[in-house]
Amino acid sequence: MKSRTRVASVVVVLAAMGAWAGPASAVEFVKYSGECATELNAVGQAIEDATFLGNKATTDESNLFAKLDAANAKVGLEKYDDAVDKLMNIVSTATALANAAKPKLDSAYGINTAAGAAMDCVGALGN
């Protein structure tokens, strides 16, 4: 079998397998480990699942992820109050994006709910 024919056959088989297997399942956001990792990962999943709108959608999403990375770093340094501040900043940013005159985020609810649970977890570490 010639190389081109073999490649074409493989492509046809893979396409058929993809159609048979159905759609791929969503990949769960798992980036953080350690204290409050479940809650921080839930915030990441909520950001990932959110619908960002407008020309700066990718930038807005990236900025929220950067804030989440900063919160995780503060948890790792045992600077829990600073981590809570970073999580509160996520909430205020998501709310501002959703409530803008021309909304930049479909809804802040999922992000804010997850961030609230993360703040509860991180806040308990400082006590």
Side-chain angles (χ1 to χ4, degrees):
M1 185 180 268
K2 289 188 177 183
S3 180
R4 275 191 204 170
T5 306
R6 187 176 303 147
V7 170
S9 297
V10 169
V11 169
V12 170
V13 169
L14 290 175
M17 288 175 57
W20 177 74
S25 62
V27 176
E28 185 177 338
F29 182 93
V30 178
K31 181 175 180 179
Y32 306 114
S33 60
E35 296 179 303
C36 298
T38 299
E39 291 80 2
L40 293 171
N41 285 319
V43 176
Q45 186 68 52
I47 293 169
E48 199 168 86
D49 291 345
T51 302
F52 290 85
L53 309 167
N55 295 336
K56 296 182 181 180
T58 302
T59 301
D60 292 335
E61 183 178 27
S62 294
N63 288 341
L64 288 180
F65 277 122
K67 294 172 192 296
L68 182 57
D69 287 343
N72 181 64
K74 294 296 183 181
V75 170
L77 295 171
E78 297 181 4
K79 295 184 175 185
Y80 304 120
D81 289 341
D82 292 345
V84 169
D85 288 345
K86 300 291 181 191
L87 291 164
M88 288 176 64
N89 191 269
I90 290 171
V91 169
S92 63
T93 301
T95 301
L97 290 170
N99 292 340
K102 287 187 175 182
K104 309 294 186 245
L105 180 63
D106 185 42
S107 171
Y109 180 78
I111 295 170
N112 291 350
T113 301
M119 284 187 274
D120 289 344
C121 180
V122 172
L125 296 173
N127 293 331

